[in-house]
Amino acid sequence: MAETVNIKRLAQELNISIATVSKALNDSYEISLKTKNRVWTLAKELNYTPNPAASNLRSHKTKTVAVVIPCVANNFFSLSIKGIEEIARQYGYHVLIYQTHENIEAEVAFTNSLLSGRVDGILTSVSSSEYNSEYYTNLVKKIPLVFFDRVYENLDAVKVTTDDYEIAFEATVHLIECGCTKIAYLYGLENLPAGKARFAGYADALKAHQLEVSEQLVVKYSDDEETNLQQIKTLLQVHQPDALFSSIEEFIIPAYCACKELCLQIPSAVKILSFSNLSTAPLLNPSLTTITQPAFEIGREAAKCLFKILHNKQLDDEQNIVLKSMLIKRDSTAC
Amino acid sequence: MAETVNIKRLAQELNISIATVSKALNDSYEISLKTKNRVWTLAKELNYTPNPAASNLRSHKTKTVAVVIPCVANNFFSLSIKGIEEIARQYGYHVLIYQTHENIEAEVAFTNSLLSGRVDGILTSVSSSEYNSEYYTNLVKKIPLVFFDRVYENLDAVKVTTDDYEIAFEATVHLIECGCTKIAYLYGLENLPAGKARFAGYADALKAHQLEVSEQLVVKYSDDEETNLQQIKTLLQVHQPDALFSSIEEFIIPAYCACKELCLQIPSAVKILSFSNLSTAPLLNPSLTTITQPAFEIGREAAKCLFKILHNKQLDDEQNIVLKSMLIKRDSTAC
DNA sequence: CTGTTAGCGCGTTCAA
DNA sequence: TTGAACGCGCTAACAG
């Protein structure tokens, strides 16, 4: 590149001081329109772009936020990021991505490293492997932080979540109304509020319909795919449920494979319902009923909250924003 | 936050100079091991983390790369990002995300804004809306740039792509071997090398089997979903193809919907084959044959190349890295 | 309205 | 082996 073009250079060319240029570029009220115009035109002409590092160093503002999530290659999170990025664009912010892979140490390491002034704020959906709110209790004091979907409760931070309990209740009722009486539950995120709420919704719906909540009908998610598959197969063989309520998308595949391997027809023999943001799934398999979280909107909402905080705007009192999920009944005719 | 901890602070506490601390932290050969150890232990104790802005400003290195892609909420791209982020972690780099939404102006605006020293390099999969290599010809001279999947050809830059031509050829042959003789083509990315190569593979396979390549059997992708659906419906009604070769994942839904609306059974009446990184799709619908690009590996490979460039390492001569896609025949028994 | 001055935190001379 | 001094590009006091 030819001589770097910075405000010093602009100042020289225009025979004015560096400070004047800086103020003009920032549209300060102190500068005359005439001077501003001279600066702006030359800046455009020379293709001037401010050096972000210098600006950050001085102003302590990076115009950058970090998104810390378990994994990008997940329909929910990639949609969330899409929403976050769109809002960030509007506000002129940049978006950094960090994947924890459900590893709490990585999560802590990333967020800690962000404290050095690399970002103005953090958006996060925490790891499911452990639940240690102590760390986050301290963290939220140090940097603006917005949780989305997978949150730590009882913290002084904004949380954007969905109606996990209600939708799980509703979905379970739907299964019951379809005639299912022995509904197994594929339990994910059991360390997190979201996971617990989903299970509670399921359990309460059963109770409300005088159905028993049996531990034997619950399979807990394992990191190991093979284990999940085996457990579901065993569940199907031993307890013969007539429905599988999958609380996370990751359970869909083992659930299908298990049914398939045992030669169970879908939807007739075992009805599968799952939390899922895989928008094409129900289309490809019309028998799959899904609970779809508004991932895109969650991302947008979380980002908006963070930017409001960063701009010291009042957040409309509430710290807990709860968005509605959708229960998409793809097999209503079959009922 | 308590008093910020910077090298000045460390220097004071240890009664040594700032310069010594700086050198010690960077493991300079000029500093005695004893001093280094003192610095390191105190740094850890005080939880010192270097201020990235200051460091960038001084060293002109940001340890940050940008990923510029059409959209994150896409199975191919989210997998690519996953790969990129993983490699970035290994190399200690940070990853910024920018979505162009297939808008060439946004693309140009983003990449231009990155030239001010915010990032050390760029990974990009370009917009499909236009093909204007002039801009990129200049860009690659200004900043290390690696293209992946959607590339500009004939530029002095590394390009990571897949075997679009070969796999499309192979897939078409598969359809022919399944007995299809009237294979329609759903044409996406027509402005880009990848799109052209896929079509060429399809066309050449037809020719190699003495089948006619008819323009009437080609539907070009439109931004408007409704248009796509209508066009495919018309295609099915008027020309009655026995297979649909979808060159991009975005065509799967309209293809299915069109068949469904016309009450065509799948797989019997119209065979659908698609490029897709939706890993669960074939599982949910066993009749769907897919071409799966190694998106994750593409991301990893592209990132590795970029970091090698940034570290001035020799790239093993070749600038064009071509990875293999997979043709997953889900309906082999039906043949 | 404009200019002078003084750092932000770090890395890199060069001298001791 | 160590330290003093300077400057990266920019912003923010404070003068004028």
Side-chain angles (χ1 to χ4, degrees), chain B residues 205-216:
Chain B
L206 291 186
K207 288 177 205 156
H209 286 76
Q210 286 79 45
L211 290 172
E212 196 189 345
V213 179
S214 163
E215 279 219 11
Q216 313 206 305

Side-chain angles (χ1 to χ4, degrees), chain A residues 9-51:
Chain A
R9 167 88 181 283
L10 295 181
Q12 285 172 348
E13 302 246 345
L14 294 171
N15 272 318
I16 54 180
S17 81
I18 294 177
T20 307
V21 174
S22 174
K23 286 179 198 164
L25 289 171
N26 291 313
D27 203 8
S28 160
Y29 66 95
E30 300 178 83
I31 305 295
S32 72
L33 191 58
K34 198 181 134 201
T35 311
K36 280 182 190 171
N37 278 327
R38 289 183 64 211
V39 174
W40 290 339
T41 54
L42 184 68
K44 191 157 285 180
E45 205 177 297
L46 264 49
N47 227 317
Y48 167 78
T49 41
N51 180 313

